[in-house]
Amino acid sequence: MKKLITICLLMVISMGYAQGHQSGDGRHCCYLINKGCDLVGFFLCPACEKNEKREREAKAAEDKRRADAVIAKAEADKKTSENLRLEKIRIAKEEEKLIRDKKIADEVKNLDERKRYKQIADAGLVKSNTKGSSQKINLSNIESFKDDKRKVYGFLVNKKEILIFPYDSEAMNIDKIDESNLFVVDVWETPNKYSYSYLIEYTGKRINVDGIDKSNYRIWVNPQNKLIFFYNKISTEETGKGVSRDNQGLGNFHNSRESALADVQSYRKAGLGMFGDEIVCYDTRYTLDFNGNILEKLNGYTIRIID
């Protein structure tokens, strides 16, 4: 019985739906009755037209919803991207400020440390009040020369070679000390590796200083006080830190190892160029006049570099 009632209801609904569509008047085409009918020369029946209008409106609404969603997403992405850009700018500015503040703090710290190290270094400097004297002989017409191709050096008078000596090593240099009859000769094992220095007269005679005929470091000349500083190395201690190459070291003479190392730190805190590895040397420093005579003999510490 229930099955019969259900069938009857379905038939009633189908008949009602079919009555809403038209296709038998010769002017309308109905998708329900004539599926796949050709609309050329026909009008869509009112019921089908209504359904299609409803579907078009639904599709238009869906298209608009999707377009609005795309626009909303694009605007959200743009806003997110802009926020990220502004955040990167903010972080970059904060980092710049931190770097700038740190640089200022480091400069202040380095300045304070440099002052402290310099005070220690200066307190240990060995200073000499010794005054030298000039050579009275006029040697203005005597010049030194060197010839790397021939590996010789010597003296010229009126541009003519009068004394010629062979190189001691691969590379050499000779410089005249003004107002003196002495010349400083520097010797390198290779063009980049310094070895030692010595003094010679215009006759070619090498100057002997307290039984020593060569300085372990480059000879330093003080033209103001007419002094020559000649070094004999007693011992060395490697420290493994870089120092300036000035005079193959810092050029200062100290009464303690601590003062010499503080001198290195003073240079380093000043941001000066550092090359190679440093060594602390315990040396004898001879102070000579421009005639090669010993005026002073002191022991102390210097800083030198290892090539």
Side-chain angles (χ1 to χ4, degrees), residues 116-132:
R116 179 166 57 86
Y117 284 124
K118 195 169 188 314
Q119 288 175 349
I120 297 173
D122 289 348
L125 279 177
V126 177
K127 299 179 181 179
S128 175
N129 295 320
T130 304
K131 299 293 182 180

Side-chain angles (χ1 to χ4, degrees), residues 104-215:
I104 293 173
D106 289 344
E107 286 176 353
V108 172
K109 180 181 178 182
N110 284 341
L111 182 61
D112 291 341
E113 290 181 347
R114 183 188 174 194
K115 288 179 179 178
R116 179 166 57 86
Y117 284 124
K118 195 169 188 314
Q119 288 175 349
I120 297 173
D122 289 348
L125 279 177
V126 177
K127 299 179 181 179
S128 175
N129 295 320
T130 304
K131 299 293 182 180
S133 57
S134 301
Q135 173 58 245
K136 303 301 181 181
I137 300 175
N138 183 5
L139 299 178
S140 59
N141 62 332
I142 298 180
E143 300 176 84
S144 61
F145 80 93
K146 66 169 186 168
D147 188 330
D148 290 332
K149 291 183 178 180
R150 294 158 55 200
K151 298 293 183 183
V152 296
Y153 73 101
F155 300 105
L156 304 173
V157 173
N158 298 325
K159 305 302 180 181
K160 293 183 179 181
E161 297 179 4
I162 58 171
L163 285 177
I164 303 174
F165 308 101
Y167 271 16
D168 295 45
S169 188
E170 282 297 311
M172 297 187 65
N173 188 59
I174 181 169
D175 287 311
K176 180 181 178 182
I177 302 176
D178 291 338
E179 300 184 55
S180 171
N181 66 346
L182 301 180
F183 296 77
V184 177
V185 179
D186 296 318
V187 181
W188 286 267
E189 288 181 18
T190 66
N192 298 318
K193 185 174 179 60
Y194 173 79
S195 297
Y196 56 87
S197 296
Y198 56 84
L199 295 168
I200 61 172
E201 294 181 341
Y202 65 96
T203 61
K205 176 185 176 183
R206 186 180 294 197
I207 301 298
N208 190 295
V209 180
D210 199 19
I212 305 164
D213 65 355
K214 64 183 178 182
S215 173

Side-chain angles (χ1 to χ4, degrees), residues 11 20 28 40 42 89 120-121 141 170 172 192 206 251 288 295:
M11 290 177 65
H28 294 87
V40 177
F42 291 90
I89 292 174
I120 297 173
N141 62 332
E170 282 297 311
M172 297 187 65
N192 298 318
R206 186 180 294 197
L288 315 176
L295 303 177

Side-chain angles (χ1 to χ4, degrees), residues 14 34 36 50 55 95 116 120 124 141 170 181 207 233 247 254-255 280 288 300:
S14 176
N34 301 307
K50 185 178 181 179
E55 289 177 0
E95 289 178 348
R116 179 166 57 86
I120 297 173
N141 62 332
E170 282 297 311
N181 66 346
I207 301 298
K233 180 170 63 179
N247 194 32
H254 300 266
N255 60 14
V280 178
L288 315 176

Side-chain angles (χ1 to χ4, degrees), residues 3-61:
K3 184 176 181 181
L4 180 60
I5 292 172
T6 301
I7 293 172
C8 290
L9 286 173
L10 289 173
M11 290 177 65
V12 170
I13 292 170
S14 176
M15 289 175 64
Y17 181 74
Q19 288 175 358
H21 293 265
Q22 298 178 14
S23 66
D25 57 4
R27 294 183 302 109
H28 294 87
C29 178
C30 177
Y31 288 141
L32 181 63
I33 298 173
N34 301 307
K35 294 182 179 179
C37 65
D38 187 359
L39 290 179
V40 177
F42 291 90
F43 295 99
L44 196 61
C45 79
C48 289
E49 177 66 29
K50 185 178 181 179
N51 288 340
E52 283 216 345
K53 181 180 179 182
R54 187 164 49 246
E55 289 177 0
R56 286 196 302 269
E57 290 175 348
K59 184 177 183 302

Side-chain angles (χ1 to χ4, degrees), residues 37-92:
C37 65
D38 187 359
L39 290 179
V40 177
F42 291 90
F43 295 99
L44 196 61
C45 79
C48 289
E49 177 66 29
K50 185 178 181 179
N51 288 340
E52 283 216 345
K53 181 180 179 182
R54 187 164 49 246
E55 289 177 0
R56 286 196 302 269
E57 290 175 348
K59 184 177 183 302
E62 177 63 17
D63 290 344
K64 184 178 183 304
R65 185 191 67 77
R66 291 182 179 179
D68 290 345
V70 170
I71 293 172
K73 184 177 184 303
E75 290 178 349
D77 290 345
K78 181 179 179 181
K79 185 176 180 180
T80 300
S81 177
E82 179 65 11
N83 289 338
L84 288 173
R85 186 183 72 84
L86 294 175
E87 180 65 10
K88 286 182 179 180
I89 292 174
R90 184 189 67 79
I91 293 173

